[in-house]
Amino acid sequence: MKEMTFKAYAITNEIDLNKIAIHCGIPKRFTWEEPLILRGDILRSILDEEVKESEQVLVFSFGSVVFINHSSLDKIHRLFTFIHSFEPDFDMRNIDKYTDDYSLHIAENEQIEFDDEYVLVPKYEDFYPELISTVLAKSVALEKNEEQLGKILDKLETMIDRLEKGNLRIGNKELARTTAKIVRHEYNTLAYIMILDKPDITWTSSDASEFYDNMTEFFELNDRYKILKSKTEILYNIMEGFSTISHSMRGLFVEWIIVILILFEIVLTLLEIAGLLPS
């Protein structure tokens, strides 16, 4: 039985693949649909040491990185240091926060079998590394977004607690910041991770398409995406409710100010009529 190991990380929301490609001398314009694959001499020059022919690194535009057949943590950290020079926003100290390990096993006369830790296939196909890496990259990116959504929910829970205690005033800046977080979360999930998009190879190879569909189903990518979408819609509804309450309170405040001013003007008029104030 042969084996190929995969280790996926979600480190940030976006990586500019073209900046890295230009630095590495790769004469290609990368789109969001395809990963940047580092191997051979290019990977060797980045790590400044010898690498095996089977070692690869796939960098995805939505902020995930997948290492194939890398057993050395030192190499992994060196590669992240290299990426950090192009994308300084991510925290090098927390690169292990969203990660997953997987492996590909090849065994003759066996059926394709998916497990939590590996996939077993009867023979090796060239599309396996990229498709497995793509699913793992999307899975860990979703995990990161799922946690970020949880933080937004915690923030909304705090706002709901304030409402329950009678504190009905919510500032426009606070509403705007929270809404921006929801929009950013949805944008990162839909535009960057591209859960609904399939790699190009799946459109030209029926075997690749079937394998990719089965793997995405096993990792529940579509179901997790639908859950995130439904939760996001709920968040928008809650924020709309907050906004309505906030605007109602401001409208009521303005109305009371107008009433007070009218009453004040009436009092002044009555005092003038009574001769208590100079006309």
Side-chain angles (χ1 to χ4, degrees):
M1 178 184 292
K2 299 180 181 179
E3 181 177 326
M4 182 176 286
T5 61
F6 300 79
K7 192 171 186 64
Y9 296 83
I11 57 175
T12 186
N13 290 327
E14 181 182 7
I15 298 175
D16 190 337
L17 303 185
N18 291 300
K19 287 196 300 186
I20 300 176
I22 291 172
H23 177 85
C24 294
I26 300 175
K28 181 179 179 180
R29 184 77 180 171
F30 285 86
T31 63
W32 284 359
E33 291 82 8
E34 56 184 335
L36 169 63
I37 302 177
L38 304 174
R39 57 191 168 196
D41 291 338
I42 293 176
L43 186 58
R44 191 176 298 114
S45 65
I46 293 172
L47 299 177
D48 195 26
E49 67 173 88
E50 287 298 318
V51 296
K52 298 177 182 177
E53 188 175 335
S54 61
E55 291 179 321
Q56 299 181 45
V57 179
L58 282 78
V59 186
F60 292 82
S61 61
F62 50 82
S64 292
V65 182
V66 180
F67 295 84
I68 299 179
N69 290 335
H70 282 261
S71 57
S72 170
L73 290 178
D74 181 61
K75 288 183 180 180
I76 291 175
H77 281 270
R78 231 179 298 172
L79 196 284
F80 280 135
T81 300
F82 170 75
I83 296 176
H84 192 260
S85 65
F86 296 93
E87 303 292 345
D89 289 341
F90 75 88
D91 188 357
M92 284 286 292
R93 296 168 299 180
N94 293 319
I95 56 175
D96 294 324
K97 190 171 184 179
Y98 310 104
T99 183
D100 197 6
D101 294 278
Y102 208 65
S103 60
L104 170 69
H105 294 183
I106 299 98
E108 295 181 1
N109 303 321
E110 294 286 350
Q111 298 295 320
I112 294 181
E113 176 186 334
F114 291 95
D115 186 81
D116 290 338
E117 298 180 354
Y118 64 86
V119 57
L120 181 66
V121 297
K123 65 175 183 177
Y124 178 80
E125 299 285 355
D126 290 337
F127 56 74
Y128 283 145
E130 181 176 345
L131 296 187
I132 293 173
S133 297
T134 300
V135 173
L136 290 177
K138 291 185 176 184
S139 180
V140 291
L142 266 181
E143 181 185 349
K144 178 169 65 68
N145 275 9
E146 287 164 351
E147 181 174 300
Q148 291 173 346
L149 181 61
K151 292 179 180 178
I152 298 174
L153 288 171
D154 290 341
K155 174 65 175 177
L156 289 182
E157 185 176 355
T158 301
M159 296 168 70
I160 292 171
D161 288 340
R162 286 165 51 188
L163 288 177
E164 290 178 341
K165 294 175 182 178
N167 185 1
L168 302 181
R169 284 193 172 184
I170 301 174
N172 285 333
K173 287 185 178 180
E174 187 175 5
L175 285 173
R177 280 195 298 265
T178 306
T179 302
K181 289 179 181 178
I182 298 172
V183 173
R184 169 58 66 182
H185 156 76
E186 185 174 28
Y187 183 66
N188 287 344
T189 305
L190 182 62
Y192 283 176
I193 302 180
M194 301 175 295
I195 295 297
L196 304 180
D197 293 349
K198 299 173 65 174
D200 291 341
I201 185 62
T202 61
W203 300 106
T204 57
S205 168
S206 59
D207 290 339
S209 179
E210 182 180 0
F211 178 82
Y212 182 80
D213 289 341
N214 289 335
M215 191 162 185
T216 54
E217 182 178 354
F218 183 80
F219 277 80
E220 300 178 333
L221 293 189
N222 291 333
D223 291 340
R224 290 162 65 188
Y225 172 74
K226 289 177 182 177
I227 291 172
L228 282 177
K229 284 288 291 180
S230 64
K231 287 183 177 180
T232 303
E233 291 173 2
I234 292 173
L235 291 179
Y236 278 128
N237 291 334
I238 294 174
M239 290 304 299
E240 185 178 353
F242 282 145
S243 181
T244 300
I245 293 172
S246 179
H247 290 151
S248 297
M249 291 301 298
R250 285 179 176 80
L252 183 61
F253 177 75
V254 171
E255 289 175 4
W256 273 108
I257 291 295
I258 293 173
V259 169
I260 291 171
L261 290 174
I262 292 173
L263 290 174
F264 184 68
E265 186 175 353
I266 292 173
V267 170
L268 290 178
T269 303
L270 291 174
L271 290 174
E272 287 180 3
I273 294 173
L276 299 177
L277 287 177
S279 56

